[in-house]
Amino acid sequence: MSSSYGLVRFLVVILLLQFAGMAQQNPAVHEAGSHNIPTQIPGRDAILMGAAWYPEQWPESRWEEDLRLMEAANLKVVRIAEFAWSRMEPSEGHYDFDWLERAIALAAKHHIISVLGTPTAAPPAWLTQKYPETLRVEENGQRVTHGNRAHGSVTSPKYRELCRKIAEQMAIRFGHNPNVVGWQIDNEYGYALMSYDDLSRKLFQDWLKDKYKTLDDLNTHWTTEYWSEKYDDWQEIPIPVGGHNPGLMLEWKRFVTLEWDDYQRNQIDVIRQYAEPRQFITGNLMGFFDGFDHYVITKPLTFASWDDYVGSGHVDPDRNGLTHDLTRGFKRENFWVMETQPGAVNWHAVNSFLNRGEARAMAWQAIAHGADDVNYWQWRSALNGQEEYHGTLVGPDGTPVPFYDEVKQTAQEFSKAENAFRGTTVMSQVALLYSYDSHWAIQSQRHTRNYDDIALLESYYRDLRKLSQSLDVISPYAPLETYKLVVAPSLNVLPQDLAEHLLEYVRNGGHLVLGPRSGMKDQFNGLLPQRQPGFLVDALGGRVEQYYALEKNLPISGTWGSGEVSTWAEQIKVNAPDAEILMTYGKSNGWLDGQPAVVTHPFGKGRITYIGAVLDDKHMTTAVEWMVKTSGVTAAFGPVPDGVEVSRRVGAGKQVYILINYSGENRQVAFPHSMKMLLQNKEGASADLPPYGVEVLVDSK
Ligand code: GLA
C-alpha cells in the first residue's frame, strides 16, 4: 500500500468532515445534501437514552408518575404503540388515537420525545377472526392461533391492506406531531416468519418466473438433471423446508427478503405520504438474525436500529462490538439500539442478571460503535402477559428497581457528553465483508458441522479490531476505496460482478484478504466451473486444489510462526512466480503434508491474500499483525491495556475516544497526549478505570 494512497484518503476524510461541520452551522448547506447524521434529532441531545413504554397497559392516572420517573432518570425517548393495535383500532375501521395523543403530549411535557411503532406484529383478535387468511400457516401446514405475536401472514393481501390502513391512520394523526420524531415499522419484522400456504407458494413461483423467464434457464442454473429435480411447470416448484436444492434454497431466502421488504414498504410509503420528512423511519433488527438480507431490508429506512440482548451470562465485548459494527454497516450510517436488556431477559436458558455496571458499559459501547440512542426494554412489565419476568426499570408496584439508578447515572453521563458526539461517526481503515448469500450458502451445505462462518468472522474481528481500534463490517458490494485493508473470511458466493468489484479495489492499491471457502459458488448457489477463488484465481496467482473438513487439528508453520489449524483446510497451488507462500501444512493426512495453506500475491497497485484454513487464536493474532502491517493500517488511538476497549468517533475538527474496561480489574490507560476527560471532567494524559469503568475523551488537536 503506497503512503500517497493513505494521504489521499486522509485528506478526503478531513474534507468530508469539514463539510459536515459547516453543514451543522449552516442549514442551507444541510439542505444542499451534505452528510448529516440522521440518527441525531435536531434540537435534541446528540446521544439519547430511553425506554419502551406501554401506556395502553395502564390506567391513564398512572402515566404522569411513569413519565416523572423517566424524566428524573434523564430518559428522553419513549417508543410506544407497537403492540397497541386493538386499542388503536378496537373494531374494523374505528380508530381511537386520542389516548395516544394524550400520552405523547404528556411525555413531551416531561421533555420526552416519542417514536411510534406500527402495531403490525400483533394484529387484534377481531381481525384474525374475521379474516382467517391473515394468520400464518406453519411449515407443518397448521394455521397459527391468536394470542401470541408475529402471527400475521406477510403474503396475505388482506393483511397487507389492513396493515397499510392502520399505518396510514397513524401517519395522518401523528405525521405532523412535533413530539413524534420517528417511526418503527412492525416489531422485529415478525422474525421474518413466512406463511407456508398456497398463496406464498404461488407468489414464490411467480417471482421465480419473473426472474428466470424460462424454466430452461432455471433448470440449467439449478442443475435439475440431478435427482430428477427438473421442472416442466412453474407450479411444480415447492417451498423448500430443508434438504432441498441449494439454488432453490437460496432463492427462497431472497424471496423471503423481498416479501418482508415489500411488507415494510407498504407501510413506509403510506407513512411518507402523510408524515413530515423530519420524522425518521427505522425497523428494529436483531444483529446476526439471518431470516433476510439486511442490506436489502435497511435500504428504504432512514437508519438501522437493533435490539441488543445478551440473554444468559455476560456481555462478550467482541461479539457485541461486532454486532454493533454489523448494524452500522447495513447502511454505513450511525444507528440506534432500539431495545436493550435492563439487567435480565425472560426468554433465555438461564435469565441471569448483568453485573452491576455492566449495562452502563454496554450502553457506552453502543455509543462508541456509532449508536446515537439506547432504549431499555421495557419500562415496566405488564401485570400479566408472556413477559412478566423480564427486566424492567420499575417494579410491579410502580417504584424504581435497583437497576434504575444505573440507568439514571448512564443517562446523565450521556447528557454531559452529548455535545462531543454531535456530528460524529465511526471512520475505519479496515473493513470486514459479510454477505448473506455466502452465509446462507454455507449454512445449507456446511460440510462440517464445526464450520461456523459467524464465529470465523468474529475470530478475524477480535484481532483486527484490537489492532486497528476501528472496524467496519459491510456488504462485499459496498464501496471499498477508502479502506486500506478488506477482509472476507468466508466469501463463498462470489459471482463475476462481485469479483470485478473486488479486483477494482485491489488494482487501485487495496489489500484484499480472503478466508476459506471463498470464491466457490455462483449467484445460484451452484459450484463455479473454476477452482477457488473462482474469478480471482489469476489475481491470486494460485488456486485451491482440494478442501478438507478436519476431524482434528493440523500443524502449520511459516511466516506467522508455527501452530495449528482446525475445522477446515484447503490445499493451495501457486501458479505465479511472484506469489508468496506464507504458511505451509505440516504432516497431516498425506494430501496436505507440506502444501501451501496461505498465499499472497501483488496485483495491480495492491495485493490479494488467501488463507485456506481456520487459524488457531495464536495464528490469527500473528496473521492479523501481518495484514495490518502490510497494509499500512494505523491504530485509531494507540496502545491500551488488555481488556480495555477503545473506540473512536470522528467529527469536524474533533475526535472522541471512548474507553471501556472489561478486564474485571483496575486498569490505567495512558493517552497519546493530554485530552479532556468528559466524565471525570478534567484534563489529563491517563485515566484509571475500575472494572466496567468508562471514560470519554475529547481530542481537539
Ligand atoms: C424483543 C421484542 C420485545 C420484547 C423483548 C424481550 O426484542 O422486540 O417486544 O419481547 O424482545 O427481551
Side-chain angles (χ1 to χ4, degrees):
M1 180 75 48
S2 70
S3 57
S4 62
Y5 174 80
L7 184 67
V8 168
R9 182 189 176 277
F10 181 75
L11 289 174
V12 168
V13 167
I14 293 298
L15 273 174
L16 278 174
L17 290 171
Q18 295 295 354
F19 193 59
M22 278 160 49
Q24 301 237 318
Q25 292 145 18
N26 179 353
V29 177
H30 233 146
E31 279 160 25
S34 72
H35 182 87
N36 69 344
I37 307 267
T39 40
Q40 298 185 343
I41 313 294
R44 307 285 168 171
D45 283 1
I47 54 172
L48 297 163
M49 186 163 271
W53 181 47
Y54 299 97
E56 71 274 20
Q57 295 170 3
W58 303 98
E60 203 164 328
S61 54
R62 167 71 207 186
W63 295 354
E64 180 96 48
E65 176 59 4
D66 278 329
L67 293 162
R68 187 192 68 76
L69 284 167
M70 285 185 212
E71 188 178 14
N74 218 34
L75 298 189
K76 297 187 171 167
V77 181
V78 283
R79 188 201 56 190
I80 45 178
E82 84 279 9
F83 293 116
W85 196 338
S86 63
R87 187 67 180 270
M88 293 188 285
E89 191 181 0
S91 59
E92 188 170 1
H94 296 104
Y95 300 97
D96 177 6
F97 294 118
D98 293 348
W99 65 274
L100 187 53
E101 190 157 332
R102 290 196 298 275
I104 293 167
L106 206 56
K109 190 182 131 197
H110 291 272
H111 308 105
I112 295 171
I113 51 179
S114 295
V115 176
L116 288 184
T118 66
T120 51
W126 63 255
L127 189 158
T128 56
Q129 192 71 22
K130 188 166 173 193
Y131 306 106
E133 75 273 25
T134 61
L135 285 170
R136 240 178 349 97
V137 174
E138 302 207 279
E139 272 185 32
N140 63 11
Q142 289 219 321
R143 216 171 263 287
V144 296
T145 51
H146 190 85
N148 206 320
R149 61 179 171 181
H151 45 289
S153 165
V154 67
T155 49
S156 154
K158 191 71 201 175
Y159 190 54
R160 293 274 184 96
E161 178 196 320
L162 295 161
C163 289
R164 189 177 172 94
K165 279 190 179 151
I166 184 75
E168 180 176 38
Q169 291 301 318
M170 287 177 82
I172 290 172
R173 185 67 175 256
F174 299 109
H176 299 273
N177 188 310
N179 301 307
V180 173
V181 294
W183 299 80
Q184 173 192 293
I185 302 295
D186 202 78
N187 189 68
E188 295 182 337
Y189 294 90
Y191 323 117
L193 291 169
M194 289 301 286
S195 188
Y196 291 81
D197 54 17
D198 292 344
L199 175 64
S200 299
R201 186 172 165 201
K202 169 88 172 65
L203 290 170
F204 180 46
Q205 291 162 345
D206 290 350
W207 177 76
L208 288 170
K209 190 171 176 183
D210 197 47
K211 179 167 181 176
Y212 287 83
K213 309 293 185 224
T214 68
L215 276 168
D216 268 359
D217 200 37
L218 179 144
N219 283 316
T220 307
H221 286 303
W222 295 4
T223 322
T224 53
E225 288 300 345
Y226 175 83
W227 285 0
S228 285
E229 286 170 4
K230 186 159 174 282
Y231 299 108
D232 298 310
D233 190 321
W234 296 98
Q235 290 176 29
E236 293 165 358
I237 302 174
I239 294 179
V241 287
H244 275 91
N245 177 291
L248 173 67
M249 304 239 297
L250 186 56
E251 292 295 20
W252 172 250
K253 288 288 191 186
R254 291 179 179 140
F255 171 74
V256 171
T257 299
L258 294 177
E259 278 302 310
W260 282 99
D261 186 36
D262 209 47
Y263 172 84
Q264 68 167 348
R265 284 176 191 266
N266 178 49
Q267 297 181 39
I268 290 171
D269 290 352
V270 79
I271 292 172
R272 276 280 163 251
Q273 204 177 319
Y274 295 103
E276 289 173 10
R278 68 170 171 85
Q279 292 185 338
F280 65 75
I281 301 183
T282 189
N284 54 337
L285 302 156
M286 292 173 284
F288 278 97
F289 168 74
D290 64 357
F292 45 56
D293 184 328
H294 289 53
Y295 300 114
V296 174
I297 290 289
T298 53
K299 227 172 234 157
L301 302 177
T302 317
F303 57 80
S305 47
W306 79 288
D307 297 346
D308 182 6
Y309 291 100
V310 172
S312 292
H314 297 278
V315 64
D316 171 343
D318 290 317
R319 181 62 171 228
N320 208 46
L322 167 63
T323 317
H324 284 312
D325 293 343
L326 173 86
T327 307
R328 196 182 67 251
F330 293 148
K331 286 185 77 74
R332 291 177 288 114
E333 291 278 9
N334 289 7
F335 58 97
W336 276 26
V337 171
M338 195 55 93
E339 299 179 12
T340 192
Q341 78 187 56
V345 298
N346 69 315
W347 43 262
H348 224 269
V350 176
N351 295 302
S352 53
F353 212 93
L354 299 177
N355 291 331
R356 194 173 196 151
E358 193 172 358
R360 170 177 172 254
M362 265 180 87
W364 273 113
Q365 191 189 25
I367 303 297
H369 286 253
D372 286 322
D373 168 82
V374 176
N375 298 331
Y376 287 92
W377 196 96
Q378 61 173 326
W379 173 248
R380 181 178 179 181
S381 279
L383 293 178
N384 210 322
Q386 281 91 323
E387 298 174 295
E388 293 174 18
Y389 277 84
H390 202 283
T392 56
L393 301 193
V394 297
D397 63 340
T399 67
V401 297
F403 185 76
Y404 172 94
D405 285 337
E406 185 169 317
V407 173
K408 182 176 179 178
Q409 181 198 342
T410 317
Q412 283 170 344
E413 290 170 350
F414 274 23
S415 287
K416 200 167 155 189
E418 67 89 17
N419 198 34
F421 289 94
R422 189 170 305 282
T424 65
T425 187
V426 177
M427 304 198 99
S428 312
Q429 298 176 359
V430 183
L432 270 175
L433 303 185
Y434 180 69
S435 135
Y436 287 89
D437 280 359
S438 290
H439 170 71
W440 290 325
I442 289 172
Q443 288 296 313
S444 66
Q445 292 179 314
R446 291 177 81 142
H447 202 55
T448 159
R449 64 171 178 219
N450 299 329
Y451 196 101
D452 178 343
D453 63 302
I454 295 173
L456 186 62
L457 183 80
E458 193 184 333
S459 79
Y460 277 87
Y461 179 86
R462 264 196 300 272
D463 285 294
L464 281 167
R465 178 63 170 65
K466 207 167 170 183
L467 291 191
S468 64
Q469 299 172 336
S470 186
L471 191 61
D472 292 350
V473 182
I474 52 172
S475 157
Y477 286 95
L480 301 175
E481 64 273 8
T482 57
Y483 297 105
K484 292 184 175 179
L485 173 64
V486 169
V487 182
S490 308
L491 198 53
N492 196 233
V493 175
L494 216 171
Q496 192 160 9
D497 62 332
L498 179 55
E500 285 305 326
H501 175 61
L502 298 176
L503 283 174
E504 172 81 3
Y505 164 69
V506 179
R507 261 188 221 108
N508 290 329
H511 184 182
L512 173 69
V513 178
L514 296 168
R517 301 180 85 146
S518 291
M520 190 178 191
K521 302 276 193 103
D522 65 12
Q523 66 267 42
F524 307 102
N525 209 359
L527 293 172
L528 285 169
Q530 298 102 306
R531 298 292 181 82
Q532 291 167 252
F535 295 102
L536 301 178
V537 162
D538 289 342
L540 178 65
R543 66 178 212 179
V544 172
E545 290 293 287
Q546 180 64 59
Y547 51 82
Y548 304 87
L550 302 182
E551 305 149 81
K552 55 180 188 169
N553 292 2
L554 296 187
I556 188 171
S557 63
T559 310
W560 301 339
S562 47
E564 292 189 329
V565 296
S566 65
T567 312
W568 192 274
E570 289 169 356
Q571 174 187 348
I572 306 175
K573 186 173 165 215
V574 168
N575 307 319
D578 52 346
E580 192 187 337
I581 298 167
L582 295 177
M583 298 297 290
T584 307
Y585 298 106
K587 188 148 182 49
S588 52
N589 62 358
W591 303 108
L592 283 163
D593 299 8
Q595 297 298 313
V598 180
V599 168
T600 187
H601 184 230
F603 181 77
K605 293 187 196 137
R607 168 171 299 280
I608 173 162
T609 300
Y610 192 96
I611 302 177
V614 175
L615 304 173
D616 62 16
D617 288 354
K618 195 184 95 196
H619 266 104
M620 186 54 84
T621 305
T622 44
V624 164
E625 279 165 7
W626 176 88
M627 285 175 217
V628 161
K629 199 163 157 231
T630 312
S631 323
V633 171
T634 49
F637 179 78
V640 291
D642 264 0
V644 173
E645 187 198 70
V646 60
S647 309
R648 179 187 61 185
R649 287 181 53 158
V650 189
K654 66 181 167 193
Q655 316 215 40
V656 187
Y657 297 101
I658 303 91
L659 301 169
I660 305 174
N661 179 9
Y662 285 108
S663 72
E665 292 162 14
N666 291 332
R667 291 279 192 255
Q668 189 180 59
V669 185
F671 316 154
H673 49 257
S674 176
M675 295 189 203
K676 172 105 179 143
M677 288 173 256
L678 288 189
L679 301 189
Q680 293 182 52
N681 205 10
K682 62 178 189 191
E683 183 86 22
S686 76
D688 290 310
L689 300 178
Y692 295 128
V694 179
E695 189 50 90
V696 178
L697 312 175
V698 179
D699 183 5
S700 13
K701 284 199 183 135

